[in-house]
Each structure stands twice: as structure tokens, then as C-alpha cells.
Amino acid sequence: MRLTDLPKGALAVVDRVDDAHADDAIAQRLRDLGFVDGEAVRVVACAPLGADPLLIQIGFTRFALRRAEAARVSVHPEAA
Amino acid sequence: MSADALRIALVGNPNCGKTALFNLLTGGRQKVANYAGVTIERKEGRFLAPSGRLLQILDLPGAYSFDAVSPDEQITRDVLLGNYPGEAAPDLIVCVADATNLRLHLRFVLEVRRLGRPVVLALNMMDAARRRGIEIDVPELSRRLGLPVVETIAVKRGGAQALVERVDGELPVPAPAQADDAASRADLHAQVRELLAATVRMPRRTAELDDAFDRWALHPVFGLVILALVMFLVFQAVYSLGKPMTDLISDGFGWMGAHLAVWLPQGPLRGLLTDGIFTGLGTVLGFLPEILVLFLFILTLEESGYLPRAAFLLDRLMVSVGLTGRSFIPLLSSFACAIPGIMGTRSITDPRDRLATILVAPLMTCSARLPVYALLIGAFIPAHSVVGVFNLQGLVLFALYAAGILGAMAVGWVMKRIRRDQGEHALLMELPSYRLPKARDVGIGLYERGMIFLKRLTGVILALTVLMWALSTFPAPPLGATEPAIDYSFAGHLGHWLAHPFSPIGFNWQMSLALIPAFAARETAVAALATVYAVGGDAGQLAPALAAHVSLASALSLLVWFAYAPQCMSTLAVIKRETGTWRNVVVSFGYQFVMAYAASFLVYHAARTLA
């Protein structure tokens, strides 16, 4: 599933970041920021309009990602 | 001791407390300029080490990675590599990492280490890390990294002691240089995990304080209410603290000019001094209190970590009109004055989003438009009540503010469609931990903003003000002249000439003439109208004179003109200064002129048809 499909508060683990097109600098930046296989993520908050952007907790850091950016991140729910 | 200073570059992720550390090390002894060819701030400072050696520190822009996505990051990479024209490669790199956020920051440390240059790692915010129960095995981290590691607390006096001692000693042996390719880059995360597992123990992922604050600050309803309250407070402060000081400065210079004039003979020199230089200085320096009050709040909000939260809440709205969440605060500041608004766009790292924000900022109704609006509304709009509760005058004022906002949205929307770069520009914004702002950091930031304004802009604005004065003074009226003196001046001729292109939107020559000084500062339009109609400057006399000479349609047209017109020249000077090219000044002036003319034309003819 995509990071955008994750309900607020749910924990998940990153599988990978997919390039939206060739030479996708945004996907590369997401990887540089730590969206790599095995990292735990959580949707902390959603902005008021159209739940865009999302606030994502990864490791010790919180990033605001627009939905188009978060949709590049493939995740699976963390086994409870 | 060598004759040359040791050149140290300070690098690190955004929000690692690097600038606070820089302020702590250098105190007020900083030089702020731009990097050659771009409008990105270059901050350098120096201090004497205990050994008597002079250390020269460059505070490089924050970067997440050398795979640069913004001009800031390119500069950091190029300076460290020694590739930036006019910048020598540093002798020593001090890499700053937030001890409470090592998962993210260690990756960049590893990237810096691969450069193969002498590096010292400063683990900053060690106090916050201890409070959160994070334990770091510093000697083991140093051994595994092969770099000297020191602990710092940038927000505490003496918190950089260990760092100063280390950089004052022998240069550390650099790690072997490594190629920077995609494969080794992907490997960095694995190395970070290994390092963290071996050297860091932490009880909980985030600070409970952040969780608690964000639950309210980012709440879909309460978050917006809090944002509205914060903004209300800022505006109250601008008007209750900044505005009276502005008036005091303007009046003070007027008073000084008048008293100095007594010592001079009647003539052009006296006029130049009182009406040109002193009035000009009063206008220019009068901007300063409002700028400082606004920046006091902006810097405090930025230091506290709230600013990115505001951007988060409003990003979607701003994106729909071609801007970004980060545009919000600069645009809001522009309601007080476009100058601090445009200067505040430096917090937008994306160049395209920043330029779009700069171009729409002058459409926000700034405080200098209010005297003009007040005069024209008072003279032409009856104080009827509408539907029992609203005052017609108030409604017109509200409509003018709304016209500015809607105009900016329309311009943003059009720009979004016609600009060449249609690519996706990322938000990818880190929301840092909440922090108590430090008076020193806010103070230094304020001082820098104030100096930028005074040093780089005062000259230009003052020169233009004097030019405006000369245009409306020379040539002097002939003996026995019956009309006001300005009528015989260049400005008078210009006004008569301008009346031709402006007659289709209902301006007479007096109104056209008033546009000339209004270009220096909008509020002077009131004084100029008073001069040409040869009445006293206060609205009590001017309003009836205007009502007798100007039709309602023309007055409405002038109101709309002021909502959109390309003004003032101080704003244009800031656009030149902040974007580095005249092209943007021409674009800004051009589109606003066309917009103002078209809107006034429509309003004038609609009003004439309906009347």
C-alpha cells in the first residue's frame, strides 16, 4: 500500500520509494531523508484542506509531505 | 602562529542549531553579504582562539544531502568541494548534528566525511538529548566514524567550549576520500543504522512536548484558530508598537528639517533640505519600526518552530494559486508593508516559489494605502448603513482589501499556468521540535535585517525621494503666479501630459499629478492632492474640495487604481535587491500597471453607466 492510504496514527514500515518518472529528484530526496526499506513511519496529522499535506513521523523527524510526494512511498502495516 | 586565519566551514542539516552555534562562537562580529552572483546569504564571522590564532568561520546554508535540490544546497556542496568561484575551500569542516535527531543527521555527516577533508563532528543540543533520556557513547561514535566528536550546547553560554578547544588544536587527520555514486549513497543508511545500534540508546522516539503541542497546533479546527490568533497578535503589535514609532520618526525629521531651515536663506537649498532630504529620511527610516516589529515576530515564530506549522496548515490553499505554504507569512507581512514581506521570502528555498511570492506580495493592501483609502472613502462614500448592520464606508474598505487578495490569487493562478517550469516542486518540509527562542539569536537576526534595509536600500530610496522633490519644485513658478507652485514644475507638466493616457480611466490632471509623488510613497498622494487643490492638508478641507472637483466614478477609479498600482519605488528597489535582476522589477511594474489600468477602466465605465 501507499503511504497516502495509511490511516492517521497507524504504524507502518517503508518498503521502497518509487520514481514517478525518470530522474525523479523528489523520490531521490525522500530516500536521502531516510525513506528506505525497513524504516518505521506514522501519519501524525493531516492538514485541514483535503488532508494535504500529511505530517509523517519517520525515526526522530517529522516531515510535511504533499500527497503527491507521499504517494511515491510504498509501505506495509507493521505486524502488531 | 600562522599569519593567515584558519578557515572553518560550519555545515549541517537544517534545524541542527548551526546558526545558534555560529552566533555563540562569533557573537555580533559577523559579516552578512550574498554569495557572488546569487541572493543567498553568506554569513562569516571571526574570533580569537585561546592560543591567539584567528579563526574565520563561514556559516554555510543548511543541507540534507550533497545531491542538491536547492541553490542553498548547491552552494554548500560547491564551497566544501572548493568549486565555488571566489570561495577558497575551508581548512577544517565542522559538521553540526542535532543529538536528538541523529538518524537523519548522521547520514549527512557520513556524506561530509567522504569528502576526505579534515572534519570535526559537533553533537549539538546535548542538553535536550539528555533531558529526553538519549544516551550517546561519544568515544565509540568517534572511534567508529574516525572523526573527533565534541559535545556542544549552542543555547548555553560556554556551550561551545569543547569545540573551540578542539578546532584550536591540531587539524584532525581526514578520512580517506570516497567516490560519490548512487550505490555507495544507498549504503549510507545501512551505515547509519549500524552506528545508531552500536552507540545510541533512546527510550522514546519523539519528545512528548512536541506530540502535545502538535495535537493542538495542527488540529484541523483548533490549529486554524490558533493561527488566526497568532496573526491577530502580530498585527496588533505592528499597529500599536510599529505605527506610532513610524509616525514619530516621520514627524521628528519634519520637525528637524523645519528648525534647520530657519538657519538657511529662503531658496532651493532650504527646500532641498526640508522637503527633499529630511522628508525623504523621515519616509525611509519610518519604514524601520514596522519592519523591525514584524521581523521580531517572524524570527520568534521561526526560532520556536511554529512557522513551518503555519505553512503546513495552509499549503494546500497556497498551492491552488501557484504558491507554497511557506508563502503565507511573507504575504501576511505584506499587509503591513511589502518590504519586510519581500525580505521575508528568503525562508522559501525553492527559487520558483520564492519569485512567485515576491511578485504577488505588493498586491496585499499595505498600511500606506490606508490614508489614501480613508480620504477618498470619506469624501465620496456616504456613511449609509446597509441591511441595517453594515456601514457602506466599511464595506468599500473591505472590498478594497478583498480586491487585493483576489487579485493576488488571480495573478498567482495565471503565473502558475504560463510559467515555463511546469514541473512538480516538492514541499518535503521538516517540522522541527518546538524550542524556546533565544534572545541573542532573535536579536542578531533583527540587527541583520535592519542593517540590510538601512545599508542597501536607504541610499536608493533617498535618492529617488530627492528626485521626486526636484521634479515637483523646479522650475520655480514665475513672479505673480496665481496657481500653486507645483503646477509650474516638471511634475506639473508631467501631470498634464499624464492626464492624456489616464483620461480613459477618469483621472483629471490633478489626480494624474498626484500619482507622481505617490510613487515615492503612496500616502503622499493625499498631501499632493491638497497642494494642487490649494487647500490645507487635513481631510476636513481636502475632502469637500475633492468632492467638488471629482466625479464619483473617477474617485472609485482612483481607489481601484491604488489597490493594484505598481508602487511604491521602495518596493521595487527591494525586488531588485532580493532577486538581483531588473527583469523582475519590470515584470512586477508592468503587470501591476496593466492590471490597475484595466480594473480602473472597468470600474470607471461601470460607475458612469450605472450613475
Side-chain angles (χ1 to χ4, degrees):
Chain A
M1 70 198 288
R2 302 273 133 202
L3 187 50
T4 39
D5 302 327
L6 212 60
K8 195 174 138 185
L11 279 167
V13 177
V14 175
D15 293 325
R16 62 182 183 282
V17 176
D18 298 310
D19 286 10
H21 47 79
D23 276 333
D24 187 351
I26 295 177
Q28 183 53 45
R29 178 42 57 108
L30 283 168
R31 287 180 208 114
D32 285 350
L33 293 178
F35 289 86
V36 290
D37 180 28
E39 285 291 334
V41 290
R42 185 167 64 96
V43 179
V44 180
C46 307
L49 283 171
D52 187 13
L54 300 167
L55 183 61
I56 309 295
Q57 172 92 36
I58 177 161
F60 321 101
T61 327
R62 292 175 168 196
F63 287 107
L65 304 187
R66 292 194 185 128
R67 294 192 80 84
E69 291 151 23
R72 290 172 164 89
V73 183
S74 169
V75 297
H76 65 266
E78 191 179 55
Chain B
M1 179 189 144
S2 68
D4 286 320
L6 184 76
R7 283 191 314 272
I8 299 173
L10 217 51
V11 293
N13 281 64
N15 305 309
C16 67
K18 188 169 55 66
T19 298
L21 195 59
F22 178 71
N23 288 342
L24 179 67
L25 288 172
T26 61
R29 296 175 301 281
Q30 305 180 2
K31 228 170 61 189
V32 184
N34 282 344
Y35 286 95
V38 289
T39 51
I40 291 168
E41 226 155 65
R42 180 187 188 280
K43 288 166 115 183
E44 194 183 68
R46 37 182 71 203
F47 70 97
L48 270 181
S51 70
R53 186 157 51 162
L54 187 63
L55 306 180
Q56 189 174 323
I57 303 198
L58 185 61
D59 183 19
L60 286 169
Y64 287 108
S65 160
F66 285 145
D67 191 11
V69 294
S70 70
D72 297 45
E73 290 186 339
Q74 278 165 23
I75 283 183
T76 297
R77 182 192 60 199
D78 292 344
V79 170
L80 289 184
L81 290 170
N83 287 343
Y84 199 85
E87 300 283 345
D91 302 314
L92 173 65
I93 299 170
V94 172
C95 196
V96 185
D98 175 356
T100 64
N101 200 356
L102 285 178
R103 188 201 58 90
L104 179 68
H105 290 198
L106 270 183
R107 208 199 71 94
F108 187 61
V109 175
L110 293 177
E111 274 200 69
V112 173
R113 187 181 65 157
R114 300 200 305 183
L115 293 172
R117 307 190 62 88
V119 178
V120 172
L121 171 61
L123 285 181
N124 197 21
M125 308 196 204
M126 281 304 287
D127 53 335
R130 284 202 190 92
R131 266 202 309 278
R132 285 202 210 169
I134 299 174
E135 290 168 34
I136 304 170
D137 184 348
V138 176
E140 178 63 12
L141 183 64
S142 171
R143 196 186 64 76
R144 286 179 174 251
L145 284 171
L147 305 174
V149 180
V150 294
E151 300 183 17
T152 56
I153 304 170
V155 293
K156 209 177 93 183
R157 197 184 300 270
Q161 188 68 33
L163 177 64
V164 172
E165 281 165 15
R166 186 61 196 85
V167 299
D168 196 22
E170 286 292 301
L171 279 185
V173 182
Q178 267 174 286
D180 184 29
D181 54 62
S184 67
R185 187 173 281 276
D187 193 39
L188 290 177
H189 282 295
Q191 290 180 43
V192 169
R193 274 184 210 164
E194 228 170 88
L195 281 169
L196 288 182
T199 62
V200 181
R201 283 216 345 249
M202 75 207 69
R204 194 163 143 48
R205 285 243 148 116
T206 49
E208 277 154 36
L209 203 65
D210 288 349
D211 289 345
F213 274 149
D214 275 347
R215 203 164 302 137
W216 293 98
L218 301 180
H219 188 277
V221 178
F222 296 115
L224 291 174
V225 172
I226 292 169
L227 179 62
L229 281 175
V230 170
M231 295 310 131
F232 179 75
L233 186 79
V234 172
F235 266 71
Q236 277 299 309
V238 168
Y239 281 94
S240 61
L241 293 172
K243 199 79 181 134
M245 284 200 279
T246 296
D247 295 342
L248 201 69
I249 289 177
S250 307
D251 295 349
F253 274 100
W255 181 87
M256 265 158 62
H259 278 74
L260 243 139
V262 180
W263 305 97
L264 289 168
Q266 185 78 38
L269 185 65
R270 180 165 157 180
L272 172 69
L273 211 63
T274 54
D275 299 330
I277 293 176
F278 274 90
T279 311
L281 271 178
T283 308
V284 176
L285 297 181
F287 283 122
L288 202 57
E290 279 180 47
I291 290 177
L292 291 181
V293 172
L294 260 175
F295 270 111
L296 173 68
F297 281 93
I298 292 176
L299 288 168
T300 308
L301 291 176
E302 199 176 316
E303 293 281 317
S304 68
Y306 185 72
L307 221 49
R309 266 98 185 161
F312 172 82
L313 288 172
L314 295 166
D315 184 68
R316 177 63 184 274
L317 184 73
M318 305 304 275
V319 168
S320 66
V321 291
L323 301 166
T324 156
R326 295 178 200 248
S327 311
F328 174 69
I329 299 288
L331 290 183
L332 194 86
S333 312
S334 302
F335 278 102
C337 176
I339 294 169
I342 291 169
M343 286 166 72
T345 60
R346 288 185 178 215
S347 62
I348 307 172
T349 46
D350 186 281
R352 185 188 73 181
D353 291 342
R354 177 163 182 247
L355 180 60
T357 310
I358 288 176
L359 287 178
V360 301
L363 292 176
M364 302 294 125
T365 302
C366 69
S367 57
R369 284 169 170 105
L370 270 178
V372 184
Y373 286 171
L375 171 74
L376 292 173
I377 290 174
F380 289 95
I381 311 292
H384 282 324
S385 72
V386 181
V387 231
V389 276
F390 301 112
N391 179 315
L392 186 60
Q393 292 185 330
L395 281 181
V396 170
L397 187 63
F398 176 79
L400 287 165
Y401 271 84
I405 296 170
L406 292 174
M409 290 170 81
V411 170
W413 190 85
V414 169
M415 269 196 304
K416 184 176 161 183
R417 263 141 200 86
I418 61 169
R419 63 190 166 200
R420 244 171 286 153
D421 177 4
Q422 291 285 343
E424 180 185 358
H425 285 222
L427 179 66
L428 282 180
M429 177 176 62
E430 184 182 348
L431 267 58
S433 283
Y434 288 97
R435 266 171 226 159
L436 209 58
K438 283 282 152 187
R440 181 184 50 228
D441 296 326
V442 172
I444 289 177
L446 263 185
Y447 174 78
E448 281 168 9
R449 297 289 148 216
M451 287 317 277
I452 287 175
F453 178 76
L454 286 181
K455 278 209 275 207
R456 324 264 163 186
L457 292 168
T458 306
V460 183
I461 299 172
L462 191 61
L464 288 169
T465 313
V466 171
L467 178 72
M468 286 299 163
W469 165 80
L471 280 178
S472 22
T473 308
F474 300 108
L479 280 174
T482 48
E483 302 298 319
I486 195 171
D487 202 1
Y488 300 93
S489 68
F490 291 118
H493 293 293
L494 214 54
H496 281 286
W497 180 81
L498 277 178
H500 295 293
F502 281 109
S503 68
I505 61 172
F507 291 6
N508 59 25
W509 73 264
Q510 290 94 337
M511 288 156 73
S512 308
L513 190 155
L515 298 183
I516 299 170
F519 187 57
R522 288 176 176 90
E523 61 272 26
T524 55
V526 175
L529 281 171
T531 314
V532 282
Y533 282 114
V535 293
D538 61 274
Q541 297 169 45
L542 183 53
L546 272 180
H549 289 94
V550 177
S551 71
L552 174 65
S554 294
L556 288 176
S557 171
L558 187 62
L559 275 173
V560 172
W561 173 266
F562 269 96
Y564 294 132
Q567 287 170 342
C568 51
M569 61 189 183
S570 311
T571 304
L572 295 174
V574 178
I575 293 177
K576 164 70 176 74
R577 153 91 193 142
E578 288 295 312
T579 65
T581 130
W582 285 107
R583 186 182 158 270
N584 293 322
V585 177
V586 171
V587 169
S588 177
F589 184 92
Y591 96 75
Q592 288 183 68
F593 189 93
V594 171
M595 198 164 155
Y597 197 94
S600 291
F601 186 86
L602 284 176
V603 165
Y604 178 61
H605 287 277
R608 282 226 309 187
T609 318
L610 293 175

